[in-house]
Amino acid sequence: MASWATLSPSIVEYFEGEDFYRCGYCKNESGSRSNGMWAHSMTVQDYQDLIDRGWRRSGKYVYKPVMNQTCCPQYTIRCRPLHFQPSKSHKKVLKKMLKFLAKGEISKGNCEDEPMDSAVDDAVVGDFALINKLDIRCDLKTLSDDLKESFESEDMKGKDSKKEESTELIQSQDVEEKLGSGEPSHLVKVHTAPKPGKGADLSKPPCRKAKEIRKERKRLKLMQQNPAGEPEGFQAQSQPPSLFPPKAKSNQPKSLEDLILESLPEDASHKLEVRLVRSSPPSSQFKATFQDSYQVYKRYQMVIHKDPPDKPTVSQFTRFLCSSPLEAENRHNGPDCGYGSFHQQYWLDGKIIAVGVIDILPYCVSSVYLYYDPDYSFLSLGVYSALREIAFTRQLHEKASQLSYYYMGFYIHSCPKMKYKPTVKTLESKEQCKGADSLAPTHCDNNSQTPVPHLS
């Protein structure tokens, strides 16, 4: 393994002109255009500088989309792990894994992940859709809980008002007869169930917005905490200010590491182990597990991507996910595993069920690809592996302070499978950098119009 002082220069073979080829996103036969080069060898620092300027590697081929000509412009997007806080949906995925490991429980919902160009491209899309679905269910449950009393009171009143309703119904029939005959009549309030599509049922209480219901529930909760009947907010105004600052809350939310590494019982049903093995140059552990890893990849491509059995060959797997131009490097202030290309293997009960392909660079962990055993799709392995890689980046940061980003591949605005990425960016701006961060287009290359960030 090369040290920082004995590094050889990067050797690349640049291809003149622009490559035209079929787009894997919009399926345009010749719409995808990029500049490319074959990297025979490359230092991790050179590749770090390239991906910060819009380049990306596939095996040893390094390419950069021509942004003002390609059919689907591709933007580098990254996450700030040090500021990342798992959402409710992320916690649900982690808890689902823990329940499976502890008790062998399998959730009913089958969330199949299908990453495209990185570990989270398609995986988190399914997860983001799950968030929306869960939010709707939550609001409906809250609504039903709050209106339960009103429905029960209506039922109690219903017995006493049967005579009144029958009288109103008779009066309404008389009104219709009078209207038909042209005789004058008085308006009568009628509570009759409407026909489908004919409006709201006036016999039921009006619907309320979920936001109003949540406020009401919060107000009732505050009143329950204060026996005097006053909400805490109003009570605090009448009291003189305290001479001592309030005590910090002890029930702080669990960190990502706490959620991932939560202890399991001694009689746990399953055992999960994550191993990091260097793929280029291949380590002895990588060579020993090559066939097992390849079989998982082959099955993934056939089941998830519908590839024919003869397409995911050993040579294609090696060229795509094992060969890398990055030179293995070790620095005195770097991570113990060094820099370069790795496979992060997920072992369940002694067999590989998923592999995350990553590059460890001076300033980031770059996610290249994820493949997994389709039999374990119910574990949402795409989302789970992305969360593990974020936690892994934070772990590396403890030894290498400059390594503080997690690169998630490209964001393609025209690709529906990546619509979650700008949403993550919006959440970050509203919630003060809790998650992802796209590279800001501070200035552009005149030829390709690719956003190029300021480098510090």
Side-chain angles (χ1 to χ4, degrees), residues 140-156:
L140 290 177
K141 185 178 185 303
T142 306
L143 182 63
S144 63
D145 290 342
D146 279 88
L147 296 182
K148 188 176 182 180
E149 290 184 344
S150 60
F151 281 128
E152 289 177 353
S153 61
E154 288 293 326
D155 291 338
M156 294 295 292

Side-chain angles (χ1 to χ4, degrees), residues 322-351:
C322 302
S323 297
S324 171
L326 302 184
E327 295 183 359
E329 298 181 19
N330 263 342
R331 302 182 187 178
H332 65 88
N333 60 344
D336 295 334
C337 60
Y339 299 102
S341 298
F342 297 83
H343 280 196
Q344 207 165 31
Q345 301 173 341
Y346 294 79
W347 289 75
L348 181 68
D349 300 333
K351 71 172 184 177

